[in-house]
């Protein structure tokens, strides 16, 4: 556990001492808040659901961008050879990377708290829906990060890692959209919606917290972390 | 101290190491020589646990060991050829990060970083960004990380490549000094360098050891090297 935290701390430090970490966070906030407030007074509802829907979509761009270097750069600069010859296992390295990224994303999500407080002052929002929105975004982030770290472990080129996870997450997001699902026969609609992370996250953001959704997010995260560990171990072949 | 017996390694269907056997005695510098692609780095990666051998055994003080075992890894200091460093870190941040992963406690951290930075003479640049340092200083920072935790075996892959003549002499002097209480496996392309600092020489060609000898017993190393690696 100690090694995992050392790696996580190092990752977190990299994002907070690098201008890119701030640029991504500010861009995400500005775009999501701008689009949210563009319709907020027209909708006349004290709810953050539309903000979370926007954040879920933007995360499929934002998370590949911040996770692309996580392992690809270690490979590119040879530091993974140093790390994996220290008393540190592949599992500790991957979990450290994952946790560092998750802490960073949760910190960015905390920047939405002022909007939540504003909403509490100007209306009477459903607290369950507000918390569900935060929770779904954290679960979704964990799943997206696991996917991004896996893509980053496949190559030493961070741009390639970005494109792999971007295409994968955008497609996954697309499969959960109603305009796509409504064109499918029922059994295919059920399969595609079940496999879509954004579809599960939207259930949360409407205040419906089910065990199936939680298990889905956790399974997705664990599967991709295991794939990342296997990808690192495949250097022997 | 460390003994390799009949180590074989293949990638896909290509065998890159064939029955590699040799020993690194206590407090000796063993020079690993060979042309590009001979298998020097693969041997070093197997010793340090970055790669696993398909066959063969490694013995540390006569006991069979798994190089991936964290307790064995903490006895080794490895300097890869690529000289890996985090360019946005300062040497003190980098060394503290590596020290923590080597299991050095927070209370001993400052003392340990100070000790290795004095050994490699980098105390004057400890708080500068690594990206701003000269190649010689970068090499010394990487070497300092190798020395953290007082490892008993140093595995140095092309430790002097890219350095200017003065820096090469300094690094050689340092390696000689370190060999007083450590065993060292040192790979190089430069034959005079092997002659200058090694006690024992290994020449590897196409994945096989073709010479394993005391350096004093080898006459005309250049000629021998050309003969054996043709």
């Amino acid at each position: 556990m100690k090694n995992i935290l050392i790696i996580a701390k190092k990752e977190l430090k990299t994002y907070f001492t690098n201008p890119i970490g701030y640029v991504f966070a500010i861009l995400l906030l500005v775009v999501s808040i701008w689009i949210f407030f563009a319709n907020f007074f027209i909708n006349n509802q004290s709810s953050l659901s539309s903000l979370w829907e926007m954040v879920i979509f933007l995360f499929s761009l934002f998370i590949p961008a911040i996770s692309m270097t996580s392992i690809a750069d270690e490979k590119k600069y040879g530091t993974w050879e140093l790390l994996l010859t220290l008393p540190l296992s592949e599992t500790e390295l991957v979990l450290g990377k994952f946790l560092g990224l998750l802490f960073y994303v949760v910190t960015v999500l905390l920047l939405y708290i002022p909007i939540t407080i504003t909403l509490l002052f100007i209306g009477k929002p459903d607290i369950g829906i507000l918390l569900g929105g935060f929770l779904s975004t954290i679960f979704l982030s964990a799943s997206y990060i696991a996917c991004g770290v896996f893509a980053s472990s496949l190559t030493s080129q961070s741009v390639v890692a970005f494109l792999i996870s971007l295409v994968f997450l955008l497609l996954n997001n697309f499969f959960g959209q109603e305009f796509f699902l409504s064109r499918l026969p029922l059994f295919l609609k059920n399969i595609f919606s079940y496999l879509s992370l954004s579809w599960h996250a939207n259930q949360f953001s409407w205040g419906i917290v089910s065990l199936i959704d939680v298990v889905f997010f956790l399974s997705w995260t664990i599967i991709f972390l295991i794939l990342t560990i296997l990808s690192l171990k495949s250097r022997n072949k | 101290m460390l003994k390799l017996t009949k180590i074989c390694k293949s990638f896909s269907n290509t065998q890159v190491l064939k029955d590699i056997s040799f020993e690194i005695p206590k407090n000796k510098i063993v020079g690993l020589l060979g042309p590009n692609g001979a298998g020097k780095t693969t041997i070093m990666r197997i010793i340090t646990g970055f790669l696993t051998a398909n066959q063969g055994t490694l013995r540390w003080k006569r006991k069979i060991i798994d190089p991936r075992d964290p307790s064995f890894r903490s006895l080794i200091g490895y300097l890869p050829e690529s000289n890996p460093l985090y360019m946005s870190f300062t040497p003190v941040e980098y060394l503290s990060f590596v020290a923590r992963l080597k299991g050095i406690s927070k209370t001993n951290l400052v003392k340990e970083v100070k000790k290795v930075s004095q050994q490699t003479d980098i105390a004057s640049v400890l708080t500068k960004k690594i990206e701003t340092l000269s190649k010689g200083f970068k090499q010394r920072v990487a070497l300092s990380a190798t020395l953290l935790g007082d490892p008993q075996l140093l595995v140095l892959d092309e430790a002097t490549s890219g350095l200017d003549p003065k820096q090469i002499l300094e690094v050689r002097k340092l390696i000689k000094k370190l060999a007083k209480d450590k065993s060292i496996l040192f790979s190089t392309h430069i034959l005079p360098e092997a002659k200058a600092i090694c006690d024992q020489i290994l020449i590897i060609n196409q994945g096989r050891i073709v010479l394993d000898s005391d350096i004093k017993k080898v006459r005309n190393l250049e000629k021998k090297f050309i003969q054996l690696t043709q």
Side-chain angles (χ1 to χ4, degrees), chain A residues 172-218:
Chain A
N172 188 278
N173 200 304
F174 178 75
F175 292 151
Q177 300 303 316
E178 201 48 49
F179 64 84
F180 169 73
L181 293 171
S182 61
R183 286 167 170 77
L184 296 174
L186 188 63
F187 79 101
L188 275 180
K189 182 182 173 179
N190 289 339
I191 292 171
F192 275 101
S193 59
Y194 186 77
L195 289 175
S196 168
L197 288 162
S198 59
W199 185 84
H200 288 274
N202 283 332
Q203 303 299 305
F204 263 57
S205 62
W206 291 107
I208 311 158
V209 178
S210 78
L211 189 64
I212 292 172
D213 294 325
V214 174
V215 170
F216 179 81
F217 283 122
L218 291 178

Side-chain angles (χ1 to χ4, degrees), chain A residues 122-159:
Chain A
I122 60 173
K124 284 183 181 171
D126 186 315
I127 302 294
I129 292 178
L130 278 183
L131 289 176
F134 264 112
L135 208 59
S136 70
T137 318
I138 291 171
F139 274 112
L140 181 92
S141 307
S143 308
Y144 277 14
I145 290 168
C147 193
V149 173
F150 171 62
S152 186
S153 75
L154 297 174
T155 172
S156 57
Q157 302 296 318
S158 50
V159 177

Side-chain angles (χ1 to χ4, degrees), chain B residues 181-192:
Chain B
D181 64 345
K182 295 181 198 309
S183 305
I184 300 176
L185 178 65
F186 177 82
S187 84
T188 181
H189 279 102
I190 309 159
L191 300 182

Side-chain angles (χ1 to χ4, degrees), chain B residues 1 5 21 26-27 40 53 64 72 105 112-113 131 160 173:
Chain B
M1 200 159 190
T5 313
S21 301
K26 196 177 174 187
N27 301 352
K40 301 187 295 290
I64 291 180
F72 175 68
S105 65
E112 189 68 21
V113 169
E131 64 194 352
T160 57
K173 204 170 139 190

Side-chain angles (χ1 to χ4, degrees), chain B:
Chain B
M1 200 159 190
L2 181 75
K3 192 174 180 183
L4 283 78
T5 313
K6 290 187 176 290
I7 295 288
C8 297
K9 178 69 187 170
S10 302
F11 292 107
S12 301
N13 291 323
T14 314
Q15 193 167 14
V16 290
L17 293 181
K18 298 155 196 161
D19 289 333
I20 298 287
S21 301
F22 67 89
E23 192 170 356
I24 306 169
K26 196 177 174 187
N27 301 352
K28 296 280 181 195
I29 304 176
V30 176
L32 191 55
L33 290 168
N36 285 334
K40 301 187 295 290
T41 299
T42 307
I43 291 177
M44 292 186 150
R45 285 176 169 174
I46 287 172
I47 291 173
T48 54
F50 185 70
L51 295 177
T52 44
N54 300 114
Q55 279 178 49
T57 53
L58 278 95
R59 284 188 170 80
W60 176 256
K61 293 178 180 172
R62 293 182 185 165
K63 277 185 188 169
I64 291 180
I65 46 108
D66 179 353
R68 290 168 300 175
D69 184 345
S71 60
F72 175 68
R73 283 182 172 182
S74 59
L75 300 170
I76 289 189
Y78 178 40
L79 177 65
E81 188 185 358
S82 56
N83 196 10
L85 294 163
Y86 294 110
M87 295 299 164
S88 61
F89 282 32
T90 63
V92 73
E93 287 169 340
Y94 177 71
L95 294 174
S96 303
F97 169 67
V98 175
R100 296 287 291 131
L101 286 174
K102 282 194 171 187
I104 295 164
S105 65
K106 275 186 179 170
T107 46
N108 289 329
L109 196 77
V110 177
K111 205 170 79 182
E112 189 68 21
V113 169
K114 196 176 168 187
K115 191 179 104 186
V116 296
S117 57
Q118 280 171 349
Q119 276 179 304
T120 55
D121 201 16
I122 56 161
S124 61
V125 297
L126 274 179
T127 53
K128 290 182 181 171
K129 283 260 167 94
I130 291 175
E131 64 194 352
T132 66
L133 301 180
S134 68
K135 183 149 188 170
F137 269 118
K138 282 179 186 159
Q139 189 79 354
R140 285 195 223 178
V141 172
L143 193 57
S144 308
T146 310
L147 300 176
L148 286 164
D150 200 19
Q152 294 178 39
L153 172 67
L154 294 181
V155 179
L156 310 175
D157 197 356
E158 308 275 354
T160 57
S161 78
L163 299 182
D164 66 36
K166 188 174 170 252
Q167 290 165 340
I168 289 175
L169 288 176
E170 282 171 2
V171 172
R172 281 185 197 170
K173 204 170 139 190
L174 175 66
I175 291 170
K176 278 276 210 189
K177 200 170 130 191
L178 291 169
K180 283 177 187 162
D181 64 345
K182 295 181 198 309
S183 305
I184 300 176
L185 178 65
F186 177 82
S187 84
T188 181
H189 279 102
I190 309 159
L191 300 182
E193 183 161 82
K195 275 203 278 192
I197 63 168
C198 299
D199 302 298
Q200 187 188 330
I201 203 99
L202 294 167
I203 297 179
I204 180 168
N205 188 37
Q206 293 177 345
R208 284 185 196 278
I209 300 269
V210 289
L211 180 78
D212 181 353
S213 170
D214 188 320
I215 190 84
K216 287 171 192 160
K217 290 180 187 168
V218 183
R219 284 186 186 180
N220 200 341
L221 182 63
E222 287 81 0
K223 197 177 165 188
K224 194 109 191 164
F225 182 81
I226 292 166
Q227 272 176 1
L228 293 169
T229 56
Q230 265 177 348

